[in-house]
Amino acid sequence: MKNRVFKIATLVFLITAILGCSNASNKTVEQPNQVNSPPVAENTTNVATRTDKIKIKTETGTDLFELKPQADGAKLVDGKEQEIARIKSEKSGKLKFKNPADKTLGYVVTEKGSWKLENSSQNQDLYSLKKQSNGDYGLEDGGEKLVYQIKSNDKGIEILKPNKQLVYQIRIKEGKTALRNPSGKTVFYTKSSISPIAFACFGFDVLNREQQAALAYAVNLTGGQ
């Protein structure tokens, strides 16, 4: 009788021990999963992607000029990497552009659907690029007189004088954005990522290269909106 009781007690002890080990094992598996679960990665957007370098080449592929991104704006260099101008974001929200001697050349003021070129003293409006209600654009002088019409069609963009005379065409094909003259000959092109309307700014012959670059940079930042 004593042996039977002893066997039963031993069996109960063994079952209890086995169950205890099983529970402990389950806990050690579950706890790390709860504690060490990797955090969900945040999805961030880098606004600087709109200011990647923009390299312009001649029809034959020779480097003509380039807009290089900087921490606070961009630098315009010629085909030999010589600095032409520097574009810098101001606390006021304006873009200031200067020559290599650090002399201020002018400013660009951005508003919704509008980009205005000011003189170096900020007391005179020189030119304004404005988006129109039909989706086209117009470049006006300081007196709000139309200088160019910039129209989109199924082939690309056309830069026209007020009398509808064609000045340049913008054509996008196989990853290349090209500025062409009225006869269709390529003046220069880029394979860089740039808004077509921003690229069109380099076809505004009434502006000098520094003004063109500053305006193009500002328009590209907003995607032409």
Side-chain angles (χ1 to χ4, degrees):
M1 184 70 177
K2 289 181 179 180
N3 289 337
R4 186 176 181 184
V5 172
F6 178 78
K7 289 180 179 180
I8 292 173
T10 302
L11 183 60
V12 171
F13 174 80
L14 290 173
I15 292 172
T16 302
I18 291 171
L19 290 175
C21 290
S22 177
N23 289 337
S25 176
N26 288 337
K27 288 179 181 179
T28 56
V29 171
E30 293 173 357
Q31 289 174 353
N33 286 341
Q34 295 172 353
V35 175
N36 298 328
S37 296
V40 178
E42 294 183 4
N43 184 17
T44 57
T45 302
N46 183 7
V47 295
T49 54
R50 288 183 179 172
T51 57
D52 290 342
K53 73 176 181 178
I54 300 168
K55 180 174 285 191
I56 309 294
K57 294 176 176 286
T58 64
E59 183 188 20
T60 58
T62 302
D63 291 348
L64 186 58
F65 59 89
E66 182 178 350
L67 264 176
K68 292 186 172 184
Q70 303 287 299
D72 57 355
K75 181 168 66 173
L76 178 68
V77 299
D78 64 18
K80 296 181 180 180
E81 296 290 321
Q82 297 298 307
E83 184 175 326
I84 301 173
R86 191 176 293 265
I87 304 164
K88 182 180 179 182
S89 298
E90 297 280 281
K91 291 182 179 180
S92 63
K94 295 182 179 183
L95 288 175
K96 178 168 69 175
F97 54 104
K98 305 181 294 183
N99 67 10
D102 210 36
K103 179 183 177 181
T104 299
L105 301 175
Y107 292 81
V108 182
V109 182
T110 300
E111 297 178 356
K112 185 174 177 59
S114 174
W115 303 265
K116 182 169 59 181
L117 274 167
E118 293 181 340
N119 67 353
S120 59
S121 300
Q122 304 180 71
N123 58 8
Q124 183 182 357
D125 297 343
L126 302 178
Y127 293 95
S128 295
L129 178 65
K130 299 177 180 178
K131 187 173 183 179
Q132 301 168 347
S133 58
N134 61 0
D136 293 334
Y137 296 80
L139 183 73
E140 300 176 352
D141 64 17
E144 298 188 345
K145 181 181 178 180
L146 186 64
V147 180
Y148 296 124
Q149 292 179 319
I150 304 95
K151 293 184 171 294
S152 300
N153 55 38
D154 56 354
K155 294 181 179 180
I157 291 177
E158 293 183 344
I159 302 175
L160 308 162
K161 290 183 178 180
N163 63 1
K164 310 298 183 182
Q165 180 183 349
L166 181 63
V167 180
Y168 291 113
Q169 310 166 66
I170 309 295
R171 295 292 182 260
I172 304 170
K173 186 177 181 180
E174 298 176 352
K176 181 190 291 186
T177 304
L179 182 81
R180 299 179 181 177
N181 63 20
S183 63
K185 181 179 176 60
T186 295
V187 180
F188 52 70
Y189 72 89
T190 184
K191 290 185 177 180
S192 304
S193 178
I194 183 174
S195 166
I197 184 61
F199 184 76
C201 294
F202 292 114
F204 298 162
D205 290 339
V206 293
L207 309 181
N208 59 39
R209 184 69 81 207
E210 294 89 341
Q211 291 172 328
Q212 290 175 351
L215 186 61
Y217 179 82
V219 173
N220 200 49
L221 280 179
T222 61
Q225 301 301 315

